[in-house]
Amino acid sequence: MPPVVSQRTLFGIPSTVEVQMAKFAAELAHERAVSQGGGASTDDRAQSEAGSSGDDAVEAALRKRVKAAACEMGADALIGRGMRYFIFAGREAGFDIPAYPFDPKGELKDFLAERGVRNLPGYYAGLGIPQDRYEDVQTHALLVLRRPDASERGVLLRGAEYCDATRFVPLCESRFLDLCDAGALRAIARELRIDFPSSASR
């Protein structure tokens, strides 16, 4: 006797039994996928955690080396909020730079003239900050390295919120090195010519 076929199946509409069978098959397939995926996911997590632990150890070692180098440099490695360095440097050089530095009664123009520039973008360019990055000066930390020949080099870094809001201080005295992210730490290490493992250079 031929199997009984419902009109619903003939018209492409599954019967109730077929619907239940399909649902059961789908649930079974899902359970298998979750079971297999869970095992792989556990292995992946274990590898990820092991890698993360290794990276943390490398970063901690690098941070320690950078701190030691910064302490050796003392006031020759300064850190602060980028947009305040011209005020700090001007006052340090003996110019009257008021709280509002653009006050015409102040000596900002005289300070810039002594440095051979006419404006702030030009001043920061003299520190090595390209003029097309001048806007970043307002939102980034600035590491200033002072050389024996009295020249200065500035490096913009993420993490302005970790800097003193009103002044520049020696890097070794700042909390910046304790709080900055790995990218800023590696940038400082490069500037101080500190070698670090390839696993920390990603």
Side-chain angles (χ1 to χ4, degrees), residues 113-135:
E114 183 190 71
R115 297 303 168 97
V117 297
R118 296 190 300 176
N119 51 37
L120 290 181
Y123 172 72
Y124 282 95
L127 295 176
I129 309 299
Q131 293 201 22
D132 60 1
R133 290 205 64 194
Y134 174 67
E135 291 185 2

Side-chain angles (χ1 to χ4, degrees), residues 75 78 85-97 111 114-115 123 144 146 152 168:
L78 301 173
Y85 188 67
F86 75 95
I87 299 174
F88 172 83
R91 290 174 178 173
E92 187 181 47
F95 291 88
D96 178 18
I97 310 294
F111 169 64
E114 183 190 71
R115 297 303 168 97
Y123 172 72
V144 179
R146 292 179 165 179
E152 298 177 326
F168 272 71

